[in-house]
C-alpha cells in the first residue's frame, strides 16, 4: 500500500514551495501535480522538473513501465472521460456523502494508485508526495483501497492568493509558449472558499488532514517540516534538515511532473513571505475578497483588516 501525502488547497497557496522542501527529506519522493500527468506529460511531453522532456526522463520512464507496462499503454482519453465524470468540484457533495462510490470513481482512483505504487518502488521512498491540490481529486482518492492517504491542507490569506492569480506567470515547461491561468480577484475568492471548505469536509469524513498556514510555515520552515514529516509517519534527524539555511534552502533537481515554475529551481531558494498584496492589491479588491471570504478568513485566524498585520 502506497503512503501518499497529498498537498491540497487553491493554487498560489504555497503548495509547490512545501513540496520542494519536503522532497529534500529522506524517505519522501515528490511527484508534482499528478493530476496533470495524463495531458501535459504523457500526451504533450512537457518538461519534467529535472529539465528533460517527460519522454526522456528515466525516472518517469521506469514508473510508466512498472505501473502500466509503458506510458503508451495508458488510454488518456479514458482517463479524461473518468475525470469529467467524477473529478469536478460540483461532484464533491456526492463523493462526500455516498457509501458506495461507484465503478467510475474506483477506476479513476486506480490510475493514481498505480502511479503512486510504482513511484514508491522506483524511488525506494516510503512516502510519495502529490501536490495536485484539487479538492475533488482528494475526495476521489479517499475511495482508493490500496493507498494510505494523508492530506496536507495548505491555506494562505485569500487576498494574497487573489493578488497572485492576477499576475502573468510564464510556464517554462512550454518553452515560452504558454502562461499560467489567471483569475480575477472575485473569481479567485469564490474558488478559495469552495476548495478550502471542501478540505474541511474531507476531514469530517475520516481522512487524516493537517492544515498548514503558508505564513506560519515560512515563519519557521524547520518546525513546519518536522511536523509534516511526523504526520507522514517519518522521523527526522538533525542532519536531514541541513539543506535549510538562514532565509533560504539549497535544493537539488527533482522530478516534479507538473506545477508552479518553482519546481525547476535548483540551488538557492529564498524562504520569505510574499506580502506584496497588502499594498499592490487595490483597496476595493482587498475589500471585495475580504468580504466574500470573511467567514473562513476568521476561522483560519486571518485579520479582516490587512493593515492590522
Amino acid at each position: 500500500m502506497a503512503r501518499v501525502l497529498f498537498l491540497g488547497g487553491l493554487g498560489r497557496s504555497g503548495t509547490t514551495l512545501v513540496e520542494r522542501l519536503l522532497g529534500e527529506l529522506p524517505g519522501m519522493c515528490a511527484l508534482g501535480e499528478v493530476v496533470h500527468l495524463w495531458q501535459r506529460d504523457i500526451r504533450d511531453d512537457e518538461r519534467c522538473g529535472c529539465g528533460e522532456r517527460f519522454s526522456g526522463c528515466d525516472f518517469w520512464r521506469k514508473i510508466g513501465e512498472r505501473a502500466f507496462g509503458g506510458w503508451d499503454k495508458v488510454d488518456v482519453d479514458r482517463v479524461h472521460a473518468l475525470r469529467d465524470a467524477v473529478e469536478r468540484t460540483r461532484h464533491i457533495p456526492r463523493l462526500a456523502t455516498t457509501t458506495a462510490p461507484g465503478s467510475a470513481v474506483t477506476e479513476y482512483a486506480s490510475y493514481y494508485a498505480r502511479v503512486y505504487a510504482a513511484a514508491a518502488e522506483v524511488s525506494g521512498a516510503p512516502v510519495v508526495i502529490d501536490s495536485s491540490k484539487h479538492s475533488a481529486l482528494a475526495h476521489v482518492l479517499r475511495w482508493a483501497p490500496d493507498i494510505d492517504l494523508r492530506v496536507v491542507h495548505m491555506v494562505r490569506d485569500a487576498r494574497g492568493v487573489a493578488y497572485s492569480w492576477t499576475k502573468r506567470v510564464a510556464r517554462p515547461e512550454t518553452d515560452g509558449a504558454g502562461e499560467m491561468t489567471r483569475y480575477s480577484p472575485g473569481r479567485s475568492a469564490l474558488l478559495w472558499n469552495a476548495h478550502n471548505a471542501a478540505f474541511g469536509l474531507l476531514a469530517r469524513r475520516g481522512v487524516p488532514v493537517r492544515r498548514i498556514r503558508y505564513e506560519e510555515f515560512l515563519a519557521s520552515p524547520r518546525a513546519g517540516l518536522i511536523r509534516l514529516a511526523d504526520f507522514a509517519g517519518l522521523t527526522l534527524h538533525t542532519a536531514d534538515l541541513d539543506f535549510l539555511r538562514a532565509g533560504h534552502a539549497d535544493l537539488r533537481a527533482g522530478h516534479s511532473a507538473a506545477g508552479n515554475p518553482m519546481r525547476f529551481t535548483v540551488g538557492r531558494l529564498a524562504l520569505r513571505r510574499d506580502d506584496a498584496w497588502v499594498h499592490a492589491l487595490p483597496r476595493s479588491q482587498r475589500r471585495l475578497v475580504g468580504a466574500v471570504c470573511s467567514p473562513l478568513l476568521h476561522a483560519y485566524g486571518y485579520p479582516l483588516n490587512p493593515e492590522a498585520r
Side-chain angles (χ1 to χ4, degrees):
M1 179 176 291
R3 195 184 318 164
V4 179
L5 198 64
F6 186 94
L7 305 187
L10 182 60
R12 313 297 176 90
S13 296
T15 51
T16 303
L17 170 67
V18 172
E19 181 200 30
R20 290 304 314 273
L21 298 182
L22 285 172
E24 293 293 320
L25 300 178
M28 291 199 182
C29 174
L31 302 179
E33 298 177 10
V34 182
V35 69
H36 297 303
L37 174 75
W38 321 105
Q39 180 64 42
R40 294 184 183 177
D41 296 303
I42 298 176
R43 182 161 284 178
D44 296 343
D45 199 26
E46 293 186 356
R47 294 191 185 278
C48 170
C50 68
E52 294 287 342
R53 291 285 181 184
F54 181 78
S55 60
C57 176
D58 190 56
F59 174 77
W60 281 105
R61 179 186 59 78
K62 292 177 180 178
I63 291 175
E65 290 175 350
R66 284 167 171 76
F68 304 103
W71 293 116
D72 59 322
K73 303 296 194 300
V74 177
D75 185 348
V76 175
D77 289 334
R78 176 60 179 168
V79 176
H80 286 171
L82 290 168
R83 177 201 60 197
D84 293 341
V86 303
E87 196 236 303
R88 287 289 184 265
T89 304
R90 64 178 179 271
H91 299 317
I92 289 177
R94 175 170 53 84
L95 290 167
T97 57
T98 185
T99 56
S103 59
V105 172
T106 54
E107 182 184 354
Y108 184 58
S110 73
Y111 282 92
Y112 288 85
R114 291 164 74 174
V115 171
Y116 299 148
E121 181 181 349
V122 170
S123 66
V127 179
V128 295
I129 307 166
D130 181 354
S131 60
S132 289
K133 294 190 283 291
H134 293 193
S135 52
L137 178 56
H139 278 269
V140 167
L141 293 177
R142 85 180 182 97
W143 292 107
D146 45 359
I147 68 171
D148 175 2
L149 179 66
R150 307 179 188 197
V151 175
V152 176
H153 176 199
M154 287 294 303
V155 174
R156 183 184 179 188
D157 191 308
R159 292 152 295 195
V161 172
Y163 175 64
S164 184
W165 277 113
T166 66
K167 296 179 180 179
R168 290 188 177 276
V169 180
R171 294 181 57 222
E173 61 269 38
T174 65
D175 294 333
E179 293 182 340
M180 296 184 70
T181 303
R182 299 169 68 202
Y183 292 131
S184 69
R187 173 65 172 165
S188 69
L190 295 174
L191 291 172
W192 189 89
N193 276 339
H195 284 281
N196 287 317
F199 281 104
L201 182 59
L202 188 68
R204 292 195 292 274
R205 293 298 177 265
V207 176
V209 177
R210 177 68 56 88
R211 183 182 301 140
I212 299 293
R213 294 202 329 176
Y214 160 83
E215 296 84 358
E216 289 183 351
F217 181 87
L218 278 179
S220 183
R222 184 179 297 269
L225 288 177
I226 291 172
R227 286 193 294 268
L228 289 179
D230 180 69
F231 178 62
L234 298 177
T235 300
L236 299 182
H237 302 285
T238 302
D240 296 335
L241 296 168
D242 283 350
F243 68 94
L244 289 178
R245 307 294 182 183
H248 73 275
D250 292 321
L251 302 180
R252 297 167 295 178
H255 291 285
S256 182
N260 186 290
M262 186 186 293
R263 67 194 180 93
F264 294 105
T265 300
V266 177
R268 175 173 291 208
L269 174 68
L271 300 178
R272 61 175 181 272
R273 280 172 45 168
D274 180 3
D275 286 337
W277 65 269
V278 175
H279 302 291
L281 187 66
R283 183 182 297 272
S284 61
Q285 295 179 358
R286 290 204 309 267
R287 288 176 174 173
L288 169 66
V289 176
V292 172
C293 302
S294 59
L296 284 180
L297 283 171
H298 178 73
Y300 297 152
Y302 290 105
L304 297 185
N305 178 8
E307 283 78 8
R309 296 162 66 93

